[in-house]
Amino acid sequence: MRRHGRPPGLGVVLAGENPASEVYVRNKMGTVAAAGCRAELFRVAAGATLAEALAVVAALNADEAIDGILVQSPLPEGMGADAAQRVFDAIDPAKDIDGCHPYNVGLLVQKRPRLVACTPLGCIELLERERIPLRGKHAVVIGRSDIVGKPMALLLLHRDATVTVCHSRTADLPMVARSADVLVAAIGRACFVTRDFVKPGATVIDVGINTLVTEAEVFRCFPPGSRKRAQFAEKCRVLAGDVHPDVAEVAGALTPVPGGVGPLTIAMVLRNTVTAAENRVS
Ligand code: NAP
Protein backbone atom coordinates (compact mmCIF):
# COMPACT_ATOMS: atom_id res chain seq x y z
CA MET A 1 0.00 0.00 0.00
CA ARG A 2 2.75 2.42 0.87
CA ARG A 3 5.06 1.48 -2.02
CA HIS A 4 4.62 4.99 -3.41
CA GLY A 5 5.31 6.79 -0.15
CA ARG A 6 1.73 7.32 0.95
CA PRO A 7 -1.46 5.30 1.38
CA PRO A 8 -4.21 5.47 -1.26
CA GLY A 9 -6.51 8.38 -0.43
CA LEU A 10 -10.31 8.46 -0.69
CA GLY A 11 -12.32 11.66 -0.38
CA VAL A 12 -15.99 11.15 0.42
CA VAL A 13 -18.42 13.98 -0.20
CA LEU A 14 -21.56 13.90 1.92
CA ALA A 15 -24.16 16.58 1.25
CA GLY A 16 -27.15 17.15 3.51
CA GLU A 17 -28.39 15.11 6.45
CA ASN A 18 -29.79 11.85 5.10
CA PRO A 19 -29.58 9.26 7.95
CA ALA A 20 -29.14 6.31 5.55
CA SER A 21 -26.34 8.13 3.73
CA GLU A 22 -24.60 8.76 7.07
CA VAL A 23 -24.59 4.98 7.72
CA TYR A 24 -23.39 4.09 4.20
CA VAL A 25 -20.59 6.67 4.35
CA ARG A 26 -19.48 5.55 7.82
CA ASN A 27 -19.32 1.92 6.67
CA LYS A 28 -17.45 2.72 3.45
CA MET A 29 -14.91 4.97 5.17
CA GLY A 30 -14.42 2.52 8.04
CA THR A 31 -13.61 -0.32 5.66
CA VAL A 32 -11.27 1.77 3.54
CA ALA A 33 -9.44 3.10 6.62
CA ALA A 34 -9.21 -0.36 8.22
CA ALA A 35 -7.38 -1.57 5.10
CA GLY A 36 -4.69 1.08 5.60
CA CYS A 37 -5.95 3.74 3.19
CA ARG A 38 -6.64 7.35 4.04
CA ALA A 39 -10.36 8.13 4.08
CA GLU A 40 -11.45 11.72 4.53
CA LEU A 41 -14.99 13.08 4.81
CA PHE A 42 -16.00 16.38 3.21
CA ARG A 43 -19.40 17.60 4.37
CA VAL A 44 -21.57 19.94 2.34
CA ALA A 45 -24.41 21.64 4.25
CA ALA A 46 -28.00 20.66 3.44
CA GLY A 47 -28.74 24.21 2.30
CA ALA A 48 -25.59 24.57 0.19
CA THR A 49 -25.77 25.40 -3.50
CA LEU A 50 -24.72 23.12 -6.34
CA ALA A 51 -21.81 25.52 -6.98
CA GLU A 52 -20.55 24.86 -3.44
CA ALA A 53 -20.70 21.08 -3.96
CA LEU A 54 -18.86 21.48 -7.28
CA ALA A 55 -16.18 23.54 -5.52
CA VAL A 56 -15.55 20.68 -3.07
CA VAL A 57 -15.17 18.26 -5.98
CA ALA A 58 -12.80 20.68 -7.78
CA ALA A 59 -10.61 20.89 -4.66
CA LEU A 60 -10.48 17.08 -4.40
CA ASN A 61 -9.63 16.81 -8.10
CA ALA A 62 -6.65 19.09 -7.48
CA ASP A 63 -5.51 17.34 -4.27
CA GLU A 64 -2.49 15.14 -5.07
CA ALA A 65 -3.03 12.96 -1.96
CA ILE A 66 -6.59 12.07 -3.02
CA ASP A 67 -6.79 9.18 -5.49
CA GLY A 68 -10.51 8.56 -5.36
CA ILE A 69 -13.64 10.67 -4.95
CA LEU A 70 -17.00 9.29 -3.89
CA VAL A 71 -20.06 11.54 -3.84
CA GLN A 72 -22.80 9.94 -1.78
CA SER A 73 -26.27 10.05 -3.36
CA PRO A 74 -28.85 11.45 -3.01
CA LEU A 75 -27.85 15.12 -3.08
CA PRO A 76 -30.20 17.60 -1.35
CA GLU A 77 -33.24 18.39 -3.50
CA GLY A 78 -32.49 22.10 -3.30
CA MET A 79 -29.45 21.58 -5.54
CA GLY A 80 -31.72 20.83 -8.49
CA ALA A 81 -32.92 17.81 -10.43
CA ASP A 82 -29.72 17.34 -12.45
CA ALA A 83 -27.35 18.01 -9.52
CA ALA A 84 -26.07 14.45 -9.21
CA GLN A 85 -25.18 14.22 -12.89
CA ARG A 86 -23.48 17.61 -12.85
CA VAL A 87 -21.42 16.64 -9.82
CA PHE A 88 -20.47 13.26 -11.32
CA ASP A 89 -19.51 15.00 -14.56
CA ALA A 90 -17.16 17.26 -12.59
CA ILE A 91 -15.17 14.42 -10.98
CA ASP A 92 -11.76 13.74 -12.52
CA PRO A 93 -12.41 10.43 -14.39
CA ALA A 94 -9.17 9.03 -12.95
CA LYS A 95 -10.58 9.52 -9.42
CA ASP A 96 -14.16 8.44 -10.18
CA ILE A 97 -14.66 5.66 -7.62
CA ASP A 98 -18.31 4.99 -8.53
CA GLY A 99 -17.65 4.93 -12.29
CA CYS A 100 -20.33 7.56 -12.96
CA HIS A 101 -18.33 9.91 -15.17
CA PRO A 102 -19.40 9.63 -18.83
CA TYR A 103 -15.79 8.73 -19.77
CA ASN A 104 -15.81 5.70 -17.48
CA VAL A 105 -19.32 4.72 -18.57
CA GLY A 106 -18.11 4.83 -22.18
CA LEU A 107 -15.14 2.60 -21.40
CA LEU A 108 -17.47 0.11 -19.74
CA VAL A 109 -19.80 0.11 -22.76
CA GLN A 110 -16.78 -0.67 -24.95
CA LYS A 111 -15.74 -3.57 -22.69
CA ARG A 112 -12.54 -1.92 -21.51
CA PRO A 113 -13.64 -0.97 -18.01
CA ARG A 114 -11.39 1.13 -15.80
CA LEU A 115 -13.48 2.28 -12.83
CA VAL A 116 -16.94 0.67 -12.64
CA ALA A 117 -19.87 1.40 -10.32
CA CYS A 118 -19.25 -0.37 -7.00
CA THR A 119 -22.63 -2.07 -6.52
CA PRO A 120 -22.82 -3.93 -9.86
CA LEU A 121 -19.12 -4.73 -9.54
CA GLY A 122 -19.87 -6.29 -6.15
CA CYS A 123 -22.74 -8.33 -7.63
CA ILE A 124 -20.41 -9.73 -10.30
CA GLU A 125 -17.78 -10.53 -7.69
CA LEU A 126 -20.43 -12.43 -5.75
CA LEU A 127 -21.61 -14.38 -8.82
CA GLU A 128 -18.05 -15.25 -9.84
CA ARG A 129 -16.93 -16.32 -6.38
CA GLU A 130 -20.00 -18.55 -6.12
CA ARG A 131 -19.17 -19.93 -9.60
CA ILE A 132 -22.65 -19.14 -10.93
CA PRO A 133 -22.52 -19.81 -14.69
CA LEU A 134 -23.23 -16.71 -16.82
CA ARG A 135 -22.10 -17.67 -20.35
CA GLY A 136 -25.15 -18.39 -22.51
CA LYS A 137 -27.48 -17.92 -19.54
CA HIS A 138 -30.42 -15.55 -19.48
CA ALA A 139 -29.87 -12.70 -17.03
CA VAL A 140 -32.76 -10.37 -16.25
CA VAL A 141 -32.02 -7.06 -14.52
CA ILE A 142 -35.00 -5.23 -13.04
CA GLY A 143 -34.04 -1.56 -12.84
CA ARG A 144 -32.25 0.69 -15.34
CA SER A 145 -30.54 3.30 -13.17
CA ASP A 146 -27.15 4.65 -14.21
CA ILE A 147 -25.63 3.53 -10.92
CA VAL A 148 -26.95 -0.05 -10.71
CA GLY A 149 -29.20 -1.44 -13.47
CA LYS A 150 -27.37 -0.28 -16.61
CA PRO A 151 -23.79 -1.09 -15.53
CA MET A 152 -25.04 -4.41 -14.12
CA ALA A 153 -26.53 -5.30 -17.51
CA LEU A 154 -23.27 -4.41 -19.28
CA LEU A 155 -21.12 -6.45 -16.88
CA LEU A 156 -23.39 -9.47 -17.41
CA LEU A 157 -23.36 -8.96 -21.19
CA HIS A 158 -19.55 -8.86 -21.16
CA ARG A 159 -19.58 -12.23 -19.42
CA ASP A 160 -21.60 -13.66 -22.31
CA ALA A 161 -24.99 -13.71 -20.60
CA THR A 162 -28.03 -12.89 -22.72
CA VAL A 163 -29.38 -9.86 -20.93
CA THR A 164 -32.86 -8.38 -20.60
CA VAL A 165 -33.26 -5.05 -18.79
CA CYS A 166 -36.68 -4.39 -17.25
CA HIS A 167 -38.18 -1.22 -15.80
CA SER A 168 -41.45 0.32 -14.69
CA ARG A 169 -42.90 0.16 -18.22
CA THR A 170 -42.02 -3.47 -18.91
CA ALA A 171 -45.07 -5.50 -19.94
CA ASP A 172 -45.74 -8.71 -18.00
CA LEU A 173 -42.70 -8.34 -15.77
CA PRO A 174 -43.25 -11.58 -13.79
CA MET A 175 -43.28 -13.58 -17.04
CA VAL A 176 -40.04 -11.97 -18.27
CA ALA A 177 -38.37 -12.40 -14.88
CA ARG A 178 -39.45 -16.04 -14.74
CA SER A 179 -37.31 -16.79 -17.79
CA ALA A 180 -34.14 -15.71 -15.96
CA ASP A 181 -31.36 -18.02 -14.88
CA VAL A 182 -29.91 -15.04 -13.01
CA LEU A 183 -32.32 -12.39 -11.75
CA VAL A 184 -31.05 -9.06 -10.39
CA ALA A 185 -33.55 -6.87 -8.53
CA ALA A 186 -32.53 -3.19 -8.26
CA ILE A 187 -35.88 -1.48 -7.93
CA GLY A 188 -36.21 0.21 -4.55
CA ARG A 189 -39.57 -1.42 -3.66
CA ALA A 190 -39.73 -3.68 -0.65
CA CYS A 191 -40.46 -7.36 -1.36
CA PHE A 192 -41.60 -6.52 -4.91
CA VAL A 193 -40.17 -9.68 -6.47
CA THR A 194 -42.39 -12.53 -5.33
CA ARG A 195 -42.05 -16.23 -6.00
CA ASP A 196 -44.08 -16.01 -9.22
CA PHE A 197 -41.20 -13.92 -10.68
CA VAL A 198 -38.66 -16.69 -10.17
CA LYS A 199 -37.82 -19.82 -12.13
CA PRO A 200 -37.11 -22.73 -9.78
CA GLY A 201 -33.36 -22.96 -9.20
CA ALA A 202 -32.58 -19.44 -10.48
CA THR A 203 -29.93 -17.30 -8.82
CA VAL A 204 -31.46 -14.13 -7.37
CA ILE A 205 -29.42 -11.06 -6.46
CA ASP A 206 -31.30 -8.64 -4.24
CA VAL A 207 -29.76 -5.17 -4.52
CA GLY A 208 -32.62 -3.31 -2.84
CA ILE A 209 -32.32 -1.73 0.58
CA ASN A 210 -35.67 -0.48 1.85
CA THR A 211 -36.47 0.76 5.34
CA LEU A 212 -39.94 -0.33 6.45
CA VAL A 213 -41.57 1.89 9.04
CA THR A 214 -45.23 0.80 8.95
CA GLU A 215 -46.78 -2.35 10.34
CA ALA A 216 -48.69 -2.90 7.07
CA GLU A 217 -45.44 -3.05 5.08
CA VAL A 218 -43.76 -5.32 7.60
CA PHE A 219 -46.76 -7.70 7.69
CA ARG A 220 -46.82 -7.82 3.88
CA CYS A 221 -43.16 -8.81 3.76
CA PHE A 222 -42.55 -11.00 6.81
CA PRO A 223 -44.60 -13.86 8.32
CA PRO A 224 -45.95 -14.04 11.89
CA GLY A 225 -43.28 -15.16 14.34
CA SER A 226 -40.42 -14.03 12.09
CA ARG A 227 -37.28 -12.38 13.43
CA LYS A 228 -38.03 -9.30 11.30
CA ARG A 229 -41.45 -8.77 12.90
CA ALA A 230 -39.84 -9.02 16.34
CA GLN A 231 -37.18 -6.55 15.26
CA PHE A 232 -39.86 -4.15 14.03
CA ALA A 233 -41.77 -4.42 17.34
CA GLU A 234 -38.59 -3.43 19.15
CA LYS A 235 -37.14 -0.75 16.84
CA CYS A 236 -40.17 0.48 14.80
CA ARG A 237 -38.12 0.05 11.62
CA VAL A 238 -36.68 -2.86 9.73
CA LEU A 239 -34.71 -3.37 6.51
CA ALA A 240 -36.11 -5.31 3.55
CA GLY A 241 -34.76 -6.06 0.10
CA ASP A 242 -36.61 -5.84 -3.20
CA VAL A 243 -37.15 -9.61 -3.07
CA HIS A 244 -39.82 -11.24 -0.93
CA PRO A 245 -38.31 -13.74 1.55
CA ASP A 246 -40.59 -16.51 0.17
CA VAL A 247 -38.42 -16.50 -2.95
CA ALA A 248 -35.83 -18.48 -0.96
CA GLU A 249 -38.14 -21.49 -1.33
CA VAL A 250 -37.90 -21.44 -5.15
CA ALA A 251 -34.53 -19.86 -5.91
CA GLY A 252 -31.34 -21.87 -6.20
CA ALA A 253 -29.54 -19.07 -4.38
CA LEU A 254 -30.66 -15.73 -2.95
CA THR A 255 -28.59 -12.92 -1.45
CA PRO A 256 -29.71 -11.70 2.00
CA VAL A 257 -30.63 -8.12 2.94
CA PRO A 258 -28.81 -6.84 4.87
CA GLY A 259 -25.50 -8.67 4.55
CA GLY A 260 -25.53 -9.52 0.84
CA VAL A 261 -24.80 -6.96 -1.86
CA GLY A 262 -24.19 -4.14 0.66
CA PRO A 263 -20.87 -5.45 2.07
CA LEU A 264 -19.72 -6.34 -1.46
CA THR A 265 -20.40 -2.75 -2.56
CA ILE A 266 -18.22 -1.51 0.30
CA ALA A 267 -15.47 -3.96 -0.64
CA MET A 268 -15.56 -2.59 -4.19
CA VAL A 269 -15.17 0.97 -2.88
CA LEU A 270 -11.91 -0.22 -1.36
CA ARG A 271 -10.89 -2.07 -4.53
CA ASN A 272 -11.62 0.94 -6.75
CA THR A 273 -9.71 3.24 -4.40
CA VAL A 274 -6.63 1.03 -4.66
CA THR A 275 -7.10 0.66 -8.44
CA ALA A 276 -7.36 4.45 -8.85
CA ALA A 277 -4.23 4.95 -6.73
CA GLU A 278 -2.29 2.36 -8.74
CA ASN A 279 -3.43 3.84 -12.05
CA ARG A 280 -2.38 7.32 -10.97
CA VAL A 281 1.18 6.34 -10.06
CA SER A 282 1.79 3.91 -12.93
P1 NAP B 1 -33.53 4.04 -8.88
O1 NAP B 1 -32.56 4.99 -9.51
O2 NAP B 1 -34.72 4.58 -8.18
O3 NAP B 1 -34.00 3.03 -10.02
C1 NAP B 1 -35.01 2.09 -9.77
C2 NAP B 1 -35.33 1.36 -11.03
O4 NAP B 1 -36.38 0.44 -10.72
C3 NAP B 1 -35.80 2.25 -12.19
O5 NAP B 1 -35.18 1.87 -13.38
C4 NAP B 1 -37.30 1.99 -12.24
O6 NAP B 1 -37.87 2.01 -13.54
C5 NAP B 1 -37.40 0.57 -11.71
N1 NAP B 1 -38.72 0.35 -11.14
C6 NAP B 1 -39.37 1.09 -10.22
N2 NAP B 1 -40.61 0.61 -10.01
C7 NAP B 1 -40.73 -0.46 -10.81
C8 NAP B 1 -41.78 -1.37 -11.06
N3 NAP B 1 -42.95 -1.27 -10.43
N4 NAP B 1 -41.58 -2.35 -11.96
C9 NAP B 1 -40.41 -2.46 -12.61
N5 NAP B 1 -39.37 -1.62 -12.43
C10 NAP B 1 -39.54 -0.63 -11.53
O7 NAP B 1 -32.81 3.09 -7.82
P2 NAP B 1 -31.29 2.55 -7.75
O8 NAP B 1 -30.36 3.65 -7.34
O9 NAP B 1 -30.97 1.77 -8.97
O10 NAP B 1 -31.42 1.56 -6.51
C11 NAP B 1 -32.29 0.44 -6.53
C12 NAP B 1 -32.33 -0.19 -5.16
O11 NAP B 1 -31.03 -0.63 -4.83
C13 NAP B 1 -32.73 0.77 -4.02
O12 NAP B 1 -33.43 0.01 -3.05
C14 NAP B 1 -31.41 1.20 -3.44
O13 NAP B 1 -31.50 1.56 -2.08
C15 NAP B 1 -30.61 -0.06 -3.59
N6 NAP B 1 -29.17 0.12 -3.65
C16 NAP B 1 -28.42 -0.70 -2.90
C17 NAP B 1 -27.04 -0.62 -2.93
C18 NAP B 1 -26.23 -1.58 -2.11
O14 NAP B 1 -25.07 -1.32 -1.85
N7 NAP B 1 -26.80 -2.71 -1.74
C19 NAP B 1 -26.43 0.35 -3.72
C20 NAP B 1 -27.22 1.17 -4.52
C21 NAP B 1 -28.60 1.05 -4.48
P3 NAP B 1 -37.98 3.37 -14.40
O15 NAP B 1 -36.60 3.63 -14.92
O16 NAP B 1 -38.96 3.01 -15.47
O17 NAP B 1 -38.45 4.43 -13.46
Side-chain angles (χ1 to χ4, degrees), residues 24 28 118-120 142-149 166-170 173 185-189 192 197 206-210 240-242 260-266:
Y24 297 149
K28 288 172 184 172
C118 297
T119 298
I142 312 180
R144 56 175 166 180
S145 68
D146 290 340
I147 190 80
V148 188
C166 300
H167 46 79
S168 64
R169 308 287 175 214
T170 298
L173 182 56
I187 310 161
R189 289 177 176 242
F192 181 86
F197 282 62
D206 189 353
V207 179
I209 303 177
N210 308 287
D242 287 346
V261 172
L264 263 300
T265 296
I266 293 170

Side-chain angles (χ1 to χ4, degrees), residues 42-229:
F42 297 84
R43 285 188 182 271
V44 177
T49 61
L50 175 58
E52 287 172 285
L54 290 171
V56 173
V57 170
L60 292 173
N61 283 342
D63 188 335
E64 273 307 308
I66 292 288
D67 301 291
I69 302 169
L70 194 73
V71 179
Q72 184 66 43
S73 297
L75 294 175
E77 279 178 18
M79 287 189 184
D82 63 346
Q85 195 57 63
R86 293 199 38 202
V87 170
F88 295 147
D89 286 357
I91 295 174
D92 177 347
K95 298 186 176 186
D96 175 26
I97 292 306
D98 229 345
C100 291
H101 190 283
Y103 180 76
N104 287 318
V105 175
L107 290 178
L108 173 62
V109 170
Q110 294 180 345
K111 203 184 173 185
R112 43 192 188 128
R114 198 173 60 165
L115 290 168
V116 176
C118 297
T119 298
L121 204 56
C123 294
I124 286 292
E125 184 74 18
L126 204 146
L127 289 165
E128 290 185 339
R129 287 200 182 204
E130 291 298 317
R131 298 181 193 281
I132 306 291
L134 295 175
R135 176 170 296 171
K137 300 295 179 187
H138 187 201
V140 173
V141 180
I142 312 180
R144 56 175 166 180
S145 68
D146 290 340
I147 190 80
V148 188
K150 283 184 205 157
M152 185 76 235
L154 286 163
L155 290 170
L156 290 163
L157 183 65
H158 295 159
R159 283 158 182 78
D160 296 328
T162 302
V163 182
T164 304
V165 183
C166 300
H167 46 79
S168 64
R169 308 287 175 214
T170 298
D172 203 351
L173 182 56
M175 192 269 287
V176 179
R178 225 170 20 245
S179 67
D181 302 298
V182 175
L183 179 63
V184 181
I187 310 161
R189 289 177 176 242
C191 303
F192 181 86
V193 173
T194 47
R195 51 190 303 158
D196 55 318
F197 282 62
V198 179
K199 176 161 83 177
T203 299
V204 182
I205 306 283
D206 189 353
V207 179
I209 303 177
N210 308 287
T211 305
L212 308 189
V213 292
T214 69
E215 195 175 68
E217 288 176 302
V218 174
F219 282 21
R220 179 173 63 81
C221 292
F222 303 108
S226 61
R227 193 173 48 85
K228 290 278 191 176
R229 282 205 190 184

Side-chain angles (χ1 to χ4, degrees), residues 1-10 35-38 65-67 273 277:
M1 285 278 189
R2 289 180 178 269
R3 225 176 341 162
H4 300 286
R6 62 169 179 80
L10 173 70
C37 300
R38 177 174 152 233
I66 292 288
D67 301 291
T273 301

